[in-house]
């Protein structure tokens, strides 16, 4: 949740502030899609028809803006984890969900790098949005571990870092569209418990 939405839940935004917020959010989505998450905040403000001060009142940091932009994708990933929670094959469900995470992280250039760095910064708005993802993923991981398909020493934090690293590697190698899936499959082989 961004500072703006936190403030908005305490007291409603004025109509003009709400319009500015929505314009900024729309332009940020477009800019991140076209130029990656390092897109110019000044340009986003300019294209929104507001000053940079207005942008920073709504989104005090780049991560706060990214968090707001990615709320729809976050909701979709959480919904997918709920759908997979009762799957007959818990390991397959976990793999499918990890693929969805990689796909999401790969949608915007720079997102996987930002997610990796935000995971170590508890004050980051982007890190805070990852908490429900980690919780959802942990439920899928525990089911896969309880089924015996995944080693008990695997943590969801490690899996989230691995998925972001895979998405980052795929982003750096756009001429190999199969790379992310190959790397995920290699990772999954390491998740299996040792068998005598």
């Amino acid at each position: 949740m961004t500072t703006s939405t936190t403030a908005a839940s305490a007291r409603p935004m004025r109509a003009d502030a709400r319009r500015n917020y929505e314009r900024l959010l729309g332009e940020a989505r477009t800019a991140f899609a076209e130029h990656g998450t390092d897109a110019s905040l000044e340009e986003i403000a300019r294209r929104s028809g507001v000053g940079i001060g207005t942008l920073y009142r709504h989104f005090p940091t780049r991560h706060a803006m990214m968090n707001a932009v990615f709320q729809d994708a976050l909701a979709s990933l959480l919904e997918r984890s709920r759908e997979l929670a009762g799957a007959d094959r818990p390991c397959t469900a976990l793999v499918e969900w990890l693929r969805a995470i990689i796909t999401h992280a790969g949608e915007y250039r720079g997102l996987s790098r930002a997610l990796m760095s935000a995971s170590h910064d508890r004050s980051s708005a982007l890190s805070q949005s990852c908490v429900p993802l980690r919780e959802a993923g942990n439920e899928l991981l525990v089911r896969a571990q309880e089924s015996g398909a995944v080693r008990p020493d695997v943590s969801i934090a490690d899996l989230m870092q691995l998925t972001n690293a895979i998405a980052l590697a795929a982003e750096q190698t756009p001429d190999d569209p199969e790379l992310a899936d190959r790397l995920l499959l290699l990772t999954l082989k390491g998740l299996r418990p040792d068998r005598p």
Side-chain angles (χ1 to χ4, degrees):
M1 188 175 283
T2 66
T3 303
S4 238
T5 28
T6 304
S9 61
R11 66 179 176 3
M13 268 193 236
R14 294 184 336 250
D16 61 331
R18 169 58 58 191
R19 281 191 301 273
N20 288 342
Y21 177 85
E22 294 299 333
R23 277 198 313 264
L24 284 162
L25 201 52
E27 289 298 336
R29 280 189 186 103
T30 301
F32 289 169
E34 291 174 359
H35 307 290
T37 58
D38 289 334
S40 164
L41 298 183
E42 290 80 6
E43 181 64 13
I44 291 170
R46 188 191 66 70
R47 288 170 50 174
S48 300
V50 301
I52 193 68
T54 299
L55 180 144
Y56 281 119
R57 271 194 299 282
H58 288 288
F59 306 103
T61 66
R62 180 179 296 276
H63 280 187
M65 179 172 274
M66 290 170 66
N67 181 43
V69 166
F70 303 130
Q71 285 304 302
D72 290 341
L74 175 66
S76 176
L77 289 167
L78 292 174
E79 176 59 30
R80 189 67 188 127
S81 74
R82 287 188 287 274
E83 292 167 1
L84 293 167
D88 293 337
R89 299 175 61 198
C91 189
T92 302
L94 176 63
V95 171
E96 187 173 326
W97 191 75
L98 292 174
R99 273 195 181 102
I101 294 278
I102 291 168
T103 299
H104 164 62
E107 287 177 5
Y108 295 92
R109 191 175 65 253
L111 176 58
S112 52
R113 185 182 63 238
L115 289 169
M116 288 176 79
S117 67
S119 69
H120 300 293
D121 179 5
R122 300 286 181 226
S123 66
S124 166
L126 196 55
S127 173
Q128 294 165 15
S129 73
C130 293
V131 170
L133 274 183
R134 278 192 301 272
E135 291 169 354
N138 195 57
E139 289 179 27
L140 295 172
L141 173 60
V142 167
R143 283 195 72 232
Q145 288 169 323
E146 288 172 349
S147 76
V150 175
R151 296 175 9 196
D153 62 334
V154 174
S155 75
I156 193 60
D158 290 345
L159 285 181
M160 297 297 283
Q161 284 290 74
L162 281 170
T163 56
N164 286 319
I166 290 169
L168 182 58
E171 176 186 308
Q172 300 299 315
T173 317
D175 57 332
D176 186 356
E178 305 300 319
L179 179 64
D181 210 46
R182 283 198 320 274
L183 292 175
L184 180 59
L185 291 174
L186 283 171
T187 301
L188 298 174
K189 290 180 181 178
L191 297 178
R192 292 187 185 135
D194 293 328
R195 304 258 187 229

